[in-house]
Amino acid sequence: MPDATRERDFYVTTPIYYVNDRPHIGHVYTTTVADMLARLHRLRGEATFFLTGTDEHAAKVVDAAEARGLTPQEWADRNAAEFQATFERLGISNDDFVRTSQDRHKTKVIGYLRQLIASGDVYLGEYEGWYDEGQEEYVPEMRAKELDYKSPVTGKPLVRKKEHNDFFALSKYTDQLRRLLEGEEVDGQRFIVQPEARRNEILSRIRDGLNDVPVSRTGARGWGIPVPDQEGQTIYVWIDALFNYLSTVDTDERRHLWPADVHLIGKDILWFHAVIWPAMLMALGRPLPRRVYAHSWWVRPTGEDPDKLPIKMSKSLGNIVSLEELDAYAAEFSLDALRYFLATQGPLGASDSLFAGERFTETYNADLANTLGNSVSRVTNMIGRYCEGSVPEGDRQGGFGNVSERPLEAVIEDYGSAADAVNLSGMARVAMDLVAGVDGYIERTQPFKLVKQEGKAAEVGAILYACAETLRLASLLLWPIMPWKCEELWRRMGLDYAAAMEANGGLGRLDAWARWGLLQPGTPLEKGDPLFPRHEG
Ligand code: MSP
């Protein structure tokens, strides 16, 4: 297909993950959401770049390695490989995997720091403050007090820490940051932080005033990126990590990708992404990412006290949803079903989501087995019996009006708006409403009764055409969320979208494909096993 389909680029990132730990639902969730966005944009025909990776220079990596008698690099290699293997197994379609211990990253970061030192935005000073060891971050005095000197994430006491460091002149950017977060255009740029509730929290902290922040540390035990021309100073792991988004695409072939369209993150790391990162970019004279989207958390009650308010998962509380548990869901219900659950029941938006097994089975049965799967079986069965297994003739102009109350253009527009708002459950709902429309249409018209009447064959065919055509449309809209099941459905319906995308560098043509009447009468339909067998118990 010609390059004309590449109207624009789309660059989406996930946080890069600490390698001190094995992957769990937090990592899988953010990465899966990013994968769905990447697939959607590819389906729309946009040249998409999807980046994930690992954040390796944390002090806890040195500790974890030491405890196992390994070098930090060995430990990082082992865990980075595990993240990569996990994402591969989960069908994540990232275009690159950056590791902060790679030279391609380190040399760029040293260059950025040199520039900031030269411009005076990074200067030498002394710092004393409250430090959250688990999160590897300093907490400002006022906030530390509010938090009762405990980490809001791990609950462990904050520790008092004093260092000679390089500082970044964050305070200099207070006013610009405030205006950006208030939604103003600053120097021709906008910077969107979502959801709204999170943006407001950040904004009120900015209005309280910003202090300069340390960007280097001493005593990193040789693990980290050295500050240029300064003995013993290592670049603070958070600064090192944030630069991954830029360093990975700061090459001749990829430079056009910057700025990123969306940094997808969890709410616990929003401060760095909504305040420190844009300020550093302004200091470097680089364009700001267009958007930061901070989802909330998956939570689960602790074992000992199931009635206690659900709290964030942590190893010490024993309420983590492990990789093994997620793999078990994928094995039992399919990977697509796991993705559907994460997309529709997950903590996008400002509220946390409870991870509960019963809810998984309920969602699966209600939406996938009884609605989507059942509708596909019903329609293909009837076409098998009444139309000799081939797509019948139908109304290829106005037939959609029988299935849906809304015009197709409006439906596609709703889908697009949901997608642009990172509202995956909204996207799924648009598609599932189409499926519900098919069921309603069958109930109203009763083709299984009609077929017994003389001279009604064409009418029955037209009804079933509209049903199959609507399911085709629904499968296109569901593809970013459940690619493999949708591709299976395409195969059964004789549709070659998967091959067309492959032939076009992974890019589709949603605008051209999501039109009424493209399903060809006469195409043989394969019945196949139920796409989503009902799950008992
Ligand atoms: N290394 C930093 C990020 C640097 S980005 C420049 C980091 N890594 S992390 O491995 O600890 O966590 C990464 C992400 O996982 C965060 O966005 C966090 O919100 C997410 N999650 C961790 N636990 C989670 C849940 N229980 N639920 C949903 N996501 C959560 O932070």
Side-chain angles (χ1 to χ4, degrees), residues 14-18 24-27 29-30 55 60 83 135 238 241-245 264-269 273 295-299 312-313 347:
T14 73
I16 51 171
Y17 303 112
Y18 287 132
H24 59 66
I25 190 169
H27 315 115
Y29 178 64
T30 319
D55 181 359
K60 40 192 176 181
F83 272 95
Q135 294 292 96
W238 258 106
L242 285 166
F243 278 130
N244 89 86
Y245 303 129
L264 209 61
I265 58 165
K267 62 180 176 181
D268 50 326
I269 58 175
H273 287 81
H295 64 69
S296 302
W297 288 338
W298 281 103
V299 292
K312 196 186 175 206
M313 298 176 183

Side-chain angles (χ1 to χ4, degrees), residues 314-341:
S314 86
K315 227 191 266 174
S316 50
L317 290 166
N319 62 345
I320 280 198
V321 176
S322 67
L323 197 54
E324 287 70 24
E325 191 172 340
L326 295 172
D327 281 337
Y329 277 112
E332 201 171 334
F333 294 83
S334 77
L335 186 49
D336 298 85
L338 173 61
R339 286 166 67 99
Y340 185 85
F341 179 75

Side-chain angles (χ1 to χ4, degrees), residues 361-413:
T361 313
E362 265 169 40
T363 306
Y364 175 87
N365 279 337
D367 291 6
L368 299 181
N370 298 348
T371 304
L372 179 59
N374 188 52
S375 194
V376 168
S377 300
R378 253 178 129 183
V379 172
T380 39
N381 277 335
M382 284 193 279
I383 290 180
R385 259 188 279 154
Y386 313 147
C387 315
E388 290 166 7
S390 293
V391 175
E393 293 286 345
D395 179 353
R396 297 174 70 189
Q397 308 292 320
F400 187 65
N402 295 322
V403 185
S404 161
E405 280 171 14
R406 315 196 55 217
L408 183 55
E409 296 70 34
V411 170
I412 302 294
E413 206 173 295

Side-chain angles (χ1 to χ4, degrees), residues 8 38 83 107 121 149 248 290 300 355 380 458 475 489 495 506:
R8 54 176 307 246
F83 272 95
T107 53
D121 275 306
Y149 304 96
T248 309
R290 298 202 170 87
R300 170 183 263 185
F355 194 100
T380 39
S475 74
L489 185 56
L495 299 162

